[in-house]
Amino acid sequence: MKLGMVGLGKMGANMAERLLLAGHEIVGYDPDVDAVGRVIARGATGAASLDDLVDALPTPRTVWVMVPSGKIVEETLEALRTRLSEGDVVIDGGNSNYRETRSRAKVYEASGLHLLDCGTSGGVWGLREGYSLMIGGPKDIVERHRPIFEALAPAADRGFGHVGPCGAGHFVKMVHNGIEYGMMQAFAEGFGILKKKTDLELDVHQIARIWQHGSVVRSWLLDLTADALESNPELDGIAPYVSDSGEGRWTVAEAIDLDVPAPVITMSLLTRLRSRDSEAYYDRLLAAMRNQFGGHAIRREGDS
């Protein structure tokens, strides 16, 4: 199958390579000329513009979009909408908000086009391990593109599936990432407790390796944690600053809208936000309040 790919960052380029290895033909475009050059080196055909990409594809065309969520998705999908023909298909494989995806699908439908949303998990390991794909959109259109999903997934019979109408793929991926926040937080807190118990002289890397086999908490996330602790057990040079890409916030907002209690995911998100406050004004104020009502000592900056 021949398809276009827009957005050739690290993940997009790896997905293109996995498709190429499976025998698909790729026409790739990215505003970064070097990114296009890298996929050409892997066997793809390069496009100098969206117009060139569209012209290079047979009809009905399929274009996979792999760009960061936000304004760039809107701009890219709109630019493609005005260039594509009736019956063509665009797959948004990024982390778009599912509400925006549903609105965009209606605009596409009015233009005679199809929009699929594909929540994609796998990160930098996807090229080797395969990607987990959560796909939303018309079932017949999804089925027509099964060879693409089979090539990207860990195997042809697992790791991907049609989860519902357009928007469902991004919604499921959003909740997936919310769960991921909670799991990561639990591991971080647990290993933090182990590390703090200095009188037992615990080797946290050794413990992580033990848990990898037979334990109910064994997982790929634990495998990655063990690898990180092996290469840098003291986490030297790593700032205590944790970013978020938006899905955790959206998950918490949906939980509130649906009256579903989600305290673990919510607190894991708040912990990430707190990690970014180098001033910690609220902690300073808490100390000041304790001093006011109870006369508790205030630790000054620089005190050990």
Side-chain angles (χ1 to χ4, degrees):
M1 188 172 187
K2 188 173 185 177
L3 70 152
M5 288 203 72
V6 179
L8 302 172
K10 189 164 188 178
M11 191 164 177
N14 283 346
M15 294 176 76
E17 182 170 349
R18 192 170 173 91
L19 288 166
L20 288 163
L21 290 171
H24 295 280
E25 296 181 68
I26 301 295
V27 181
Y29 168 71
D30 193 288
D32 181 354
V33 176
D34 291 337
V36 177
R38 286 191 289 271
V39 295
I40 291 175
R42 300 182 191 192
T45 300
S49 66
L50 287 179
D51 289 318
D52 287 346
L53 179 138
V54 170
D55 290 343
L57 296 175
T59 57
R61 304 175 184 87
T62 297
V63 180
W64 189 296
V65 175
M66 203 69 193
V67 299
S69 63
K71 186 178 179 182
I72 188 172
V73 175
E74 188 69 41
E75 293 174 345
T76 301
L77 292 183
E78 180 59 20
L80 285 169
R81 187 187 68 81
T82 61
R83 289 167 169 79
L84 294 173
S85 306
E86 185 173 351
D88 290 349
V89 178
V90 172
I91 305 172
D92 180 1
N95 287 324
S96 294
N97 186 293
Y98 85 98
R99 295 179 185 270
E100 295 175 352
T101 298
R102 295 178 74 177
S103 296
R104 291 165 183 155
K106 292 178 181 178
V107 174
Y108 262 58
E109 186 178 6
S111 299
L113 306 172
H114 303 288
L115 179 65
L116 302 183
D117 56 303
C118 182
T120 307
S121 180
V124 296
W125 294 91
L127 175 58
R128 190 181 78 182
E129 303 288 341
Y131 297 91
S132 175
L133 307 172
M134 300 141 261
I135 311 151
K139 191 171 184 178
D140 60 324
I141 305 301
V142 173
E143 190 61 29
R144 189 207 304 170
H145 291 82
R146 173 175 284 271
I148 295 175
F149 302 128
E150 289 181 346
L152 290 171
D157 60 348
R158 61 182 180 271
F160 73 99
H162 176 239
V163 297
C166 201
H170 284 154
F171 184 85
V172 173
K173 177 55 163 53
M174 175 193 76
V175 176
H176 164 283
N177 282 28
I179 293 170
E180 178 185 287
Y181 278 38
M183 292 174 66
M184 292 174 67
Q185 186 65 30
F187 275 125
E189 291 175 6
F191 281 102
I193 295 168
L194 294 171
K195 188 67 175 174
K196 201 73 172 179
K197 191 62 175 175
T198 55
D199 60 307
L200 293 182
E201 301 180 351
L202 301 173
D203 182 340
V204 293
H205 170 248
Q206 179 206 25
I207 294 167
R209 291 301 186 199
I210 292 171
W211 287 354
Q212 284 181 283
H213 306 281
S215 166
V216 295
V217 300
R218 65 187 185 274
S219 62
W220 186 42
L221 184 57
L222 178 61
D223 295 342
L224 297 176
T225 302
D227 291 343
L229 291 172
E230 181 176 29
S231 61
N232 188 0
E234 299 301 322
L235 305 181
D236 294 329
I238 301 176
Y241 181 105
V242 187
S243 300
D244 76 283
S245 54
E247 295 88 348
R249 301 179 187 223
W250 301 340
T251 304
V252 171
E254 286 295 326
I256 293 170
D257 286 347
L258 296 170
D259 291 329
V260 176
V264 173
I265 295 174
T266 302
M267 287 306 300
S268 65
L269 171 63
L270 295 179
T271 299
R272 292 191 179 202
L273 299 180
R274 183 166 183 156
S275 75
R276 303 168 206 174
D277 188 351
S278 60
E279 296 299 321
Y281 178 81
Y282 36 77
D283 286 338
R284 298 168 189 260
L285 185 55
L286 284 171
M289 284 189 282
R290 292 185 75 245
N291 176 258
Q292 287 291 323
F293 70 70
H296 302 287
I298 293 176
R299 179 174 294 187
R300 304 295 178 182
E301 289 185 340
D303 291 348
S304 60

